[in-house]
Amino acid sequence: MFERLSAVEERYEEVTDLLCDPDVINDTKKLRDLSKEQAGLEETVTVYREYKSVVQQLDDAKAMFEEKLDDEMREMVKMEISDLTERKEQLEQRLKILLLPKDPNDDKNVIVEIRGAAGGDEAALFAADLYRMYTRFAERHSFKVEVLEANPTDIGGYKEIIFSVSGRGAYSKLKFESGAHRVQRIPTTESGGRIHTSTSTVIVLPEVEELEVELHEKDIRVDTFCSSGAGGQSVNTTKSAVRVTHVPTGIVVSCQDEKSQNSNKEKALRVLRARLFDFYQQQAMAEQDAARKSLVGTGDRSERIRTYNFPQSRVTDHRIGLTLHRLDSVLAGELDEVIDHLIMHEQTELLKSHATA
């Protein structure tokens, strides 16, 4: 482990020096790539340097303990050794986690797709609740949200809403949200006061750059049509809405949110690239063995992952058995506790798999 850490530190110093090189500074792509690499190495190097400092302090304290000391000083040194030993163990564990293979998509922006599923109007209303939850979560992390496509209902819900979340680490925070989200509550349309169960599905895709997914004109069919709003009313009479079909895979993306046909086509292509990237990634994963099946976020997207129970103000994540009794704050975007537990669970499973490999 420590040979790897030394190599990481050496590479970090090399990259830092390269970022001061005039040739690199004048090369936008190289500068961007090296800056990204430096940022990816920085936390590991910082923790490793603290670890080395703690080890040195611990060695010095142990050497002092062997000297002739009065009782008070001996007790102080003994306490220092205990504190430093505990800190050393904490840093060792942190370094093991930092050396785990990193998801290459973690730093990317994301495209989130939410759809009302079982439950009709109530499912569409819950889809709107989920959209607000993620929007508020994004605001708390200074992420930017942009709606790419929305299909609203007459009563304020969404049959479907697709939006991007931009900011460093957006995918690392939201990648575990894919799956079926279930809500248990009394719908506003329910006169008898009965609790109904409805579901909405969430898909989180890493947003990819044009270079990462190559789209050939011969593989794309673009159709235009008039935009329409909730209830089928015409939004405008010009053919500004765009439907893009990727012929080889049959993936279809429609966008009518903008008044400009070009803007709608650009947004549709962003979603299409993300879906294609995910399509090929899912294909590759299906060809591999079951090594990652125990990890969260890699299962069937139709799987129920979380329940939001309004009568008991309870949120339960079924993958890790976590239950919180603060539904209002979670729906207000305070998702960090849930996400931190999911990340910790995945790291624990990865550590186990590496220990037995």
Side-chain angles (χ1 to χ4, degrees), residues 18 35 101 179 201 223 236 239 241 284 297 308 322 347:
L18 284 169
S35 297
T201 60
D223 300 307
N236 60 55
K239 290 189 175 183
Y308 306 74
L322 175 70
Q347 290 172 343

Side-chain angles (χ1 to χ4, degrees), residues 6-275:
S6 295
V8 168
E9 184 179 34
E10 187 176 330
R11 176 57 183 167
Y12 178 80
E13 291 171 351
E14 181 183 350
V15 170
T16 302
D17 289 341
L18 284 169
L19 286 170
C20 298
D21 188 322
D23 291 337
V24 171
I25 292 170
N26 293 326
D27 188 329
T28 306
K29 184 180 182 304
K30 192 175 288 186
L31 181 65
R32 185 183 69 243
D33 291 346
L34 286 171
S35 297
K36 187 176 178 181
E37 184 181 358
Q38 184 195 47
L41 298 172
E42 191 165 15
E43 184 180 2
T44 305
V45 172
T46 300
V47 176
Y48 179 46
R49 286 174 176 172
E50 184 184 352
Y51 173 82
K52 290 193 292 183
S53 174
V54 167
V55 168
Q56 184 60 57
Q57 292 174 58
L58 184 56
D59 289 343
D60 293 343
K62 287 178 177 178
M64 184 181 292
F65 193 74
E66 298 300 319
E67 297 175 2
K68 291 182 179 180
L69 304 170
D70 60 42
D71 291 344
E72 185 179 352
M73 180 61 75
R74 183 170 292 276
E75 189 60 32
M76 287 177 61
V77 174
K78 186 179 178 182
M79 287 177 61
E80 185 180 3
I81 289 172
S82 176
D83 291 344
L84 289 168
T85 300
E86 183 180 351
R87 182 60 182 154
K88 176 175 173 282
E89 290 170 357
Q90 291 171 348
L91 290 169
E92 280 180 356
Q93 187 65 17
R94 182 67 188 143
L95 287 169
K96 286 178 185 177
I97 290 171
L98 287 169
L99 286 177
L100 288 172
K102 189 179 179 185
D103 188 331
N105 298 319
D106 272 354
D107 288 336
K108 290 181 178 176
N109 302 330
V110 299
I111 288 176
V112 183
E113 304 182 8
I114 304 176
R115 293 178 180 87
D121 286 341
E122 174 62 10
L125 287 170
F126 182 50
D129 290 337
L130 291 175
Y131 168 63
R132 282 190 291 272
M133 179 179 76
Y134 292 128
T135 300
R136 289 165 182 169
F137 175 78
E139 289 170 355
R140 292 168 62 85
H141 289 269
S142 300
F143 294 154
K144 179 186 175 185
V145 174
E146 179 187 7
V147 174
L148 302 177
E149 175 66 356
N151 188 355
T153 64
D154 292 326
I155 60 172
Y158 287 108
K159 292 179 183 176
E160 174 188 65
I161 183 164
I162 303 172
F163 57 98
S164 65
V165 181
S166 305
R168 186 181 169 195
Y171 185 74
S172 70
K173 293 285 187 184
L174 292 170
K175 64 182 177 181
F176 301 118
E177 294 303 299
S178 290
H181 294 242
R182 182 175 71 168
V183 62
Q184 295 172 326
R185 64 184 175 189
I186 301 170
T188 54
T189 55
E190 170 59 51
S191 57
R194 293 175 301 169
I195 296 172
H196 285 226
T197 298
S198 306
T199 57
S200 292
T201 60
V202 176
I203 296 176
V204 178
L205 306 173
E207 186 167 5
V208 295
E209 297 179 8
E210 290 185 35
L211 293 174
E212 294 178 87
V213 173
E214 193 173 357
L215 291 176
H216 300 287
E217 287 294 330
K218 63 182 177 62
D219 294 335
I220 298 172
R221 185 175 72 245
V222 179
D223 300 307
T224 58
F225 56 98
C226 293
S227 301
S228 61
Q233 294 179 332
S234 176
V235 172
N236 60 55
T237 54
T238 60
K239 290 189 175 183
S240 61
V242 171
R243 182 185 300 109
V244 179
T245 304
H246 186 253
V247 178
T249 61
I251 295 173
V252 180
V253 180
S254 298
C255 190
Q256 60 176 8
D257 221 46
E258 301 289 339
K259 293 181 180 179
S260 158
Q261 187 182 112
N262 286 335
S263 296
N264 282 325
K265 181 180 177 183
E266 184 182 330
K267 284 187 174 184
L269 288 174
R270 285 173 64 188
V271 177
L272 178 60
R273 286 190 196 96
R275 288 188 187 172

